Amino acid sequence: MDDELLELQKQFEYAQQAKSSIRLSERNVVELVQKLHELHIIDFDLLHTVSGKEYITPEQLRHEIMTEIKKVGRVSLIDLADITGVDLYHVEKQAEQVVSGDPGLMLIQGEIISQSYWDSVAEEINERLQECSQLALAELAAQLQISSELVTSVLEPRLGTMVKGRLEGGQLYTPAYVARVGAMVRGAARGITVPINLSALWSTLQKLLLEMDGATGVAVEGSFFQSLFNGLVKEGEVLGSVRAGAHWTPTVFAIAQRECIDSFFSQNSFISYDALHKLGISQPVQFLQSRYPEGKHLVTVFVHPSMIEILDAATEDAVERGSWIDSLSVLPASFGSQDASKILSLCPSVQSALKANKALILGESYVFSNGFVKDVYDRVEKEVESFGLSGSSGIMPSDDSYLIKEAKVGQDTNRSSEASETSSESGHKNVLEKGSKKKRGKSGGNVKSGATESGADDTEYIPTKSKKNQKRGKDTPPSQVSDSKPGAKKDGGKLQEGNLNVPSEEWVIQKIMMLNPDFEEQGIDDPKTILRPLASYMRPMLINYLKEKRKALFTENAEKMKRLLDNLQKKLDESFLNMQLYEKALDLFEDDQSTSVIMHRHLLRATAATLVDTLFLNLDMHNKLKNGIEVQELQNSDSVSLSSTERTALAKSFPGPLSKRALAVIEALEGKQVETFMSAFKELAEESGLHLKKLDKKLERTLLHSYRKDLTSQVSAETDPVSLLAKVVSLLYVQVHNKALQAPGRAISVAVSRLKDKMDDSAYKVLTDYQTATVTLLALMSAATGDEQDCSSDRILSKREHLENLMPALKGLVLGSSQS
């Protein structure tokens, strides 16, 4: 057999060395191969090499790929393409078939790697690990030029067999190193006696390992320590509990914690939540409820039922004795007012007393018996009687801290009474308004709704325009006219509550302390802390009591207000018409500036001042009556003269816009122009809701006739020679100019000189002689002083006799003209 094989080899060698007589070109060979392929004589695939001079079959290519893999166990597809001379596309395609057909191979990141290669790598890694005790996967991956994930996937099935080590957190450790670190973790965990965050512990161990291993050491991840720690806890080598995977509480601390809580709670029957927070318990209520099911949780403390029983007995005794108790005085000092309120709600006797109306809880911690509160209230109510109905009670200090405006205190409890009060007062006001209109008639004007009540006993003046009110219709009540203004309804509630002076909380506290000195005698540091809740409870009732009394007083004041407004309107009708009449006489002196100023000032200081004083006094009285203040009616307000300071004080006491108008009138009254005063006075009257008549021709003739008649009677009855001159001059101006002149003494001479062209020479001479004699007499009277008094008296008597002798002629001068 061997001889035959050798013979065949020789023949094949001979055939190869023999030269062919027929030579084919490469082109012919290619065409021949293509023809054979077309004739299906060659029925298998052929692959061109990169040079294009060779053909290779897929089977041969796969064979060459396997040959290269077996050499090293790892080969790149790019290297295979270079080695085989075949395009990379065909190499990739055949490599996939090779890998899919052999489970010991894998195609990763353009490389074919066999399991034998990984086995050899694992052996090398194991040898290095045993030398170094620890290796980083990142370093191995860089050396092998593969990813860390691939290294992990390769090493994990070989750990414990080919690789003697432990893989944790991207690091490989030998069992000895793991045991060493585990001993460190166990020692550290056993040495801890208080709760700690494990991440802080792992940081400390990492620093310790770096110091021990030096530059050759590898940084140990916290997850490695955590894994070792979890194993120790599971095996019971360290005792404690882990919360949220990071917070470690040793068993020794938990035992000491529970013993501390049990000891404090059993001794004191309570424990605060802050104490549990300091002991490291984040949810104290749940912890205490689970440990002491019979206890009760308050706002800041947890109490035993015995604490509730002690407070219940103390409060029950206070209620039965008709006294009061501060629950905080019975409870420990760590209890707050909210805790006291909560624990009082748990006391059976307190709850039954509340249901039976025997007790009150005020200020969260104070329990008052109803009998005690009623007794205190009755005594304070008597004290407040003297304060409630007068604006200047002697009981209340004048300081503003004790006088406040009534706000919304007691608004809900008094809402029904306020509604009935509003309706009754509004109805009464309409009757008052209609009655006053009937009495005044057409010339009486219209008292507008701003001067009367707008549905409540303490509203301010609400001015309305008289012309606009008249357009609304005769049947429209004044209150509706006032309310029809924009914002009137919205502001009505504020006005009703804004003007009522009520006792402040401080005043009520002082009265309680004065009437019940027991609070101070008990040695309480600050009695106001106890009395303030009681005063806050009683004050709305006192305010309601004051309002009821004010309501009753307002009913009494309603008739006075009606009568006051009627009388005021009559006085204004007469006085303002006279003022307009006197104003017309000022036009005669407009060409003489100095005399005109004297005339204007005289009219303002005399007639206008009386008009303003009358209006101010009556408005002030109306304002007090409207606010429920008891006042006495003025018998004759015309006889009362006010100073500038008194007028200003009254003006400032008026409400809102009325005060501004009044101050403007005062400023005009002290000026030099009657026209400015008349304009300001009209605005004030309009703001207060009063109607001012305008002087027309008919009224002017009537008033002048009455004025002339009155002056004639005064001149006829006058016996004083000095006073006669001014009245005669006024009467002459009525007769000559048909004007009502009001001239002061300084302007008489000018007034007399202007009559020269209007009188006969003889009559004018009588007038000038009398005026000259009067001036001489007044000069002698003012110059009579000291030692010359006797001599001056004789001369004064002589001049007076001379004047008395001239009086009949002067009277005859005007009375004769008047009669004619």
Side-chain angles (χ1 to χ4, degrees):
M1 186 67 182
D2 293 337
D3 294 338
E4 292 178 356
L5 182 59
L6 290 173
E7 183 64 25
L8 288 172
Q9 288 177 350
K10 289 178 180 180
Q11 293 178 3
F12 181 70
E13 184 179 359
Y14 177 76
Q16 288 179 333
Q17 293 176 355
K19 294 182 179 180
S20 174
S21 59
I22 302 174
R23 297 183 62 84
L24 298 176
S25 64
E26 291 182 0
R27 182 179 180 83
N28 292 334
V29 174
V30 171
E31 292 176 351
L32 180 61
V33 171
Q34 289 178 349
K35 189 65 176 179
L36 291 173
H37 199 274
E38 290 176 358
L39 296 174
H40 299 287
I41 298 174
I42 299 177
D43 57 354
F44 48 84
D45 294 331
L46 291 176
L47 301 176
H48 282 284
T49 61
V50 177
S51 62
K53 295 182 179 182
E54 292 178 320
Y55 288 102
I56 186 171
T57 62
E59 290 80 2
Q60 180 62 28
L61 180 58
R62 289 195 293 271
H63 175 72
E64 292 182 5
I65 290 174
M66 287 297 299
T67 301
E68 291 298 326
I69 292 173
K70 290 178 180 179
K71 289 180 180 178
V72 182
R74 175 181 179 181
V75 63
S76 170
L77 296 181
I78 297 176
D79 294 339
L80 286 175
D82 294 337
I83 293 171
T84 58
V86 181
D87 187 76
L88 181 62
Y89 170 77
H90 299 295
V91 173
E92 289 178 349
K93 188 175 181 181
Q94 298 304 319
E96 290 176 357
Q97 292 186 11
V98 171
V99 172
S100 61
D102 190 348
L105 299 177
M106 62 177 65
L107 180 59
I108 298 173
Q109 296 177 356
E111 290 185 319
I112 300 175
I113 305 175
S114 65
Q115 292 296 333
S116 60
Y117 175 79
W118 291 125
D119 292 339
S120 62
V121 167
E123 291 176 357
E124 293 178 4
I125 291 174
N126 185 54
E127 291 176 2
R128 289 182 58 190
L129 177 63
Q130 302 307 318
E131 293 176 0
C132 303
S133 299
Q134 54 186 354
L135 287 175
L137 292 185
E139 180 183 351
L140 295 175
Q143 292 176 356
L144 297 174
Q145 297 182 352
I146 56 177
S147 64
S148 298
E149 292 79 4
L150 181 59
V151 175
T152 303
S153 63
V154 170
L155 290 179
E156 281 181 349
R158 293 172 173 80
L159 289 175
T161 54
M162 301 185 70
V163 179
K164 307 296 182 180
R166 176 170 176 167
L167 180 61
E168 195 74 49
Q171 301 283 341
L172 270 175
Y173 306 100
T174 61
Y177 190 83
V178 171
R180 173 189 174 193
V181 176
M184 294 176 64
V185 171
R186 181 170 52 250
R190 287 180 177 177
I192 294 171
T193 59
V194 295
I196 190 175
N197 194 319
L198 291 176
S199 59
L201 178 61
W202 306 152
S203 298
T204 304
L205 292 180
Q206 285 174 346
K207 293 179 181 178
L208 181 61
L209 282 174
L210 288 175
E211 293 175 359
M212 294 171 60
D213 297 337
T216 60
V218 177
V220 180
E221 297 292 333
S223 59
F224 180 45
F225 294 113
Q226 188 70 41
S227 176
L228 295 175
F229 179 79
N230 292 338
L232 294 173
V233 172
K234 186 176 181 180
E235 294 171 2
E237 294 192 28
V238 291
L239 301 178
S241 60
V242 181
R243 188 178 70 252
H247 193 77
W248 167 248
T249 302
T251 300
V252 62
F253 176 82
I255 294 173
Q257 185 184 64
R258 287 193 296 269
E259 290 178 352
C260 179
I261 294 172
D262 291 342
S263 174
F264 187 91
F265 190 71
S266 62
Q267 293 177 13
N268 300 279
S269 299
F270 80 94
I271 189 169
S272 66
Y273 302 145
D274 288 340
L276 270 70
H277 281 297
K278 292 177 181 178
L279 291 174
I281 298 175
S282 59
Q283 296 180 334
V285 177
Q286 291 80 349
F287 176 84
L288 293 171
Q289 284 181 333
S290 62
R291 191 159 185 81
Y292 311 109
E294 74 282 0
K296 301 293 181 182
H297 69 91
L298 305 181
V299 179
T300 62
V301 294
F302 191 85
V303 298
H304 191 268
S306 60
M307 183 71 69
I308 301 175
E309 294 173 0
I310 294 172
L311 180 61
D312 186 66
T315 53
E316 183 179 10
D317 179 62
V319 171
E320 292 297 331
R321 288 187 292 105
S323 181
W324 63 277
I325 187 173
D326 180 7
S327 58
L328 290 176
S329 64
V330 180
L331 299 172
S334 58
F335 279 61
S337 57
Q338 293 180 334
D339 297 315
S341 177
K342 184 72 178 292
I343 197 172
L344 284 174
S345 66
L346 301 175
C347 294
S349 65
V350 174
Q351 298 307 310
S352 61
L354 292 175
K355 291 181 180 178
N357 262 349
K358 292 183 178 180
L360 292 171
I361 296 179
L362 301 176
E364 295 184 337
S365 63
Y366 304 108
V367 181
F368 292 87
S369 69
N370 272 15
F372 177 82
V373 174
K374 186 178 184 303
D375 178 62
V376 173
Y377 175 78
D378 291 341
R379 286 189 280 176
V380 176
E381 188 182 80
K382 292 179 181 179
E383 291 289 330
V384 84
E385 282 182 0
S386 58
F387 162 71
L389 302 180
S390 62
S392 59
S393 173
I395 292 180
M396 292 296 296
S398 59
D399 190 273
D400 290 340
S401 63
Y402 292 92
L403 290 174
I404 63 173
K405 297 294 184 182
E406 179 187 10
K408 296 182 179 179
V409 180
Q411 196 175 37
D412 296 334
T413 59
N414 303 329
R415 186 167 298 172
S416 59
S417 62
E418 288 179 357
S420 61
E421 177 182 345
T422 303
S423 60
S424 63
E425 290 171 2
S426 178
H428 178 77
K429 177 190 63 176
N430 294 340
V431 174
L432 182 151
E433 194 68 27
K434 292 178 181 177
S436 62
K437 287 182 180 179
K438 289 179 181 179
K439 288 183 179 181
R440 289 194 296 268
K442 292 184 179 179
S443 62
N446 177 28
V447 178
K448 287 171 259 184
S449 60
T452 58
E453 296 307 301
S454 62
D457 59 284
D458 51 358
T459 54
E460 294 182 357
Y461 286 97
I462 303 178
T464 56
K465 304 296 182 181
S466 59
K467 292 183 179 180
K468 292 182 180 180
N469 289 343
Q470 292 169 2
K471 291 180 181 179
R472 299 182 187 275
K474 296 181 180 179
D475 298 332
T476 304
S479 60
Q480 294 180 11
V481 174
S482 176
D483 291 345
S484 65
K485 294 185 65 178
K489 290 183 179 179
K490 180 177 68 176
D491 296 336
K494 295 181 181 178
L495 294 176
Q496 290 176 15
E497 296 174 356
N499 287 341
L500 179 60
N501 285 332
V502 296
S504 67
E505 191 173 279
E506 293 294 330
W507 183 87
V508 179
I509 291 174
Q510 288 190 0
K511 286 301 172 185
I512 296 175
M513 291 174 61
M514 181 183 71
L515 298 172
N516 297 271
D518 296 341
F519 288 106
E520 293 182 335
E521 293 175 358
Q522 290 179 0
I524 302 172
D525 294 336
D526 187 7
K528 289 186 178 181
T529 58
I530 300 173
L531 298 181
R532 193 170 299 280
L534 182 60
S536 299
Y537 172 77
M538 293 170 55
R539 185 169 171 269
M541 296 190 293
L542 292 172
I543 293 173
N544 191 39
Y545 170 75
L546 283 177
K547 291 181 69 175
E548 292 298 328
K549 297 211 69 173
R550 286 170 58 86
K551 179 181 175 182
L553 183 58
F554 176 77
T555 304
E556 297 176 5
N557 289 349
E559 185 62 29
K560 294 181 181 179
M561 292 168 62
K562 174 181 176 297
R563 187 164 56 251
L564 176 70
L565 291 175
D566 290 341
N567 294 336
L568 177 59
Q569 186 67 62
K570 291 176 183 179
K571 294 175 183 178
L572 286 183
D573 290 343
E574 179 181 354
S575 300
F576 192 70
L577 286 173
N578 290 334
M579 187 69 187
Q580 295 178 81
L581 185 66
Y582 301 150
E583 183 185 12
K584 288 182 175 291
L586 298 177
D587 297 339
L588 299 173
F589 299 90
E590 290 298 326
D591 56 341
D592 187 352
Q593 184 63 31
S594 59
T595 305
S596 177
V597 171
I598 293 173
M599 290 291 190
H600 278 264
R601 283 185 173 177
H602 174 71
L603 189 57
L604 289 173
R605 301 298 187 272
T607 307
T610 303
L611 181 61
V612 170
D613 293 345
T614 300
L615 179 59
F616 277 22
L617 289 171
N618 282 273
L619 287 180
D620 179 59
M621 182 179 295
H622 181 272
N623 193 34
K624 290 179 179 178
L625 290 173
K626 183 183 62 177
N627 288 326
I629 300 174
E630 188 175 7
V631 294
Q632 294 181 353
E633 296 186 49
L634 292 175
Q635 297 299 326
N636 187 7
S637 59
D638 296 338
S639 62
V640 180
S641 179
L642 300 176
S643 65
S644 178
T645 304
E646 292 171 337
R647 291 191 194 104
T648 304
L650 282 178
K652 290 182 178 179
S653 68
F654 294 155
L658 191 65
S659 177
K660 295 181 181 179
R661 303 293 188 193
L663 291 172
V665 168
I666 294 174
E667 183 178 356
L669 185 64
E670 296 174 354
K672 301 178 181 179
Q673 289 293 325
V674 173
E675 184 180 356
T676 304
F677 166 78
M678 297 294 280
S679 177
F681 190 81
K682 288 177 184 178
E683 292 178 357
L684 173 62
E686 185 179 2
E687 186 70 34
S688 61
L690 295 170
H691 175 73
L692 295 177
K693 281 187 179 181
K694 186 176 181 181
L695 185 65
D696 54 18
K697 295 295 184 182
K698 183 179 179 180
L699 280 173
E700 185 178 0
R701 287 194 299 269
T702 303
L703 289 175
L704 276 173
H705 178 73
S706 176
Y707 181 67
R708 181 173 182 173
K709 186 177 179 180
D710 185 48
L711 273 178
T712 301
S713 62
Q714 290 183 27
V715 169
S716 177
E718 185 60 60
T719 58
D720 184 11
V722 176
S723 301
L724 178 62
L725 179 61
K727 295 177 181 179
V728 168
V729 172
S730 297
L731 185 54
L732 286 172
Y733 267 79
V734 175
Q735 295 171 356
V736 173
H737 295 286
N738 205 25
K739 302 284 187 181
L741 178 65
Q742 292 285 315
R746 291 187 298 169
I748 289 294
S749 61
V750 178
V752 170
S753 65
R754 288 180 177 256
L755 291 172
K756 182 177 182 180
D757 297 336
K758 306 295 183 180
M759 299 175 62
D760 296 337
D761 292 340
S762 59
Y764 182 71
K765 186 176 184 307
V766 172
L767 180 62
T768 54
D769 289 345
Y770 194 91
Q771 188 256 341
T772 303
T774 302
V775 172
T776 303
L777 175 61
L778 292 175
L780 289 173
M781 292 174 64
S782 62
T785 56
D787 298 335
E788 301 176 355
Q789 189 171 4
D790 294 338
C791 181
S792 298
S793 297
D794 294 337
R795 296 177 63 188
I796 291 171
L797 290 175
S798 175
K799 285 294 182 182
R800 180 176 288 276
E801 290 176 359
H802 177 63
L803 275 178
E804 290 175 352
N805 293 330
L806 294 176
M807 282 178 66
L810 186 63
K811 286 185 179 182
L813 177 66
V814 293
L815 294 179
S817 301
S818 176
Q819 292 172 358
S820 62

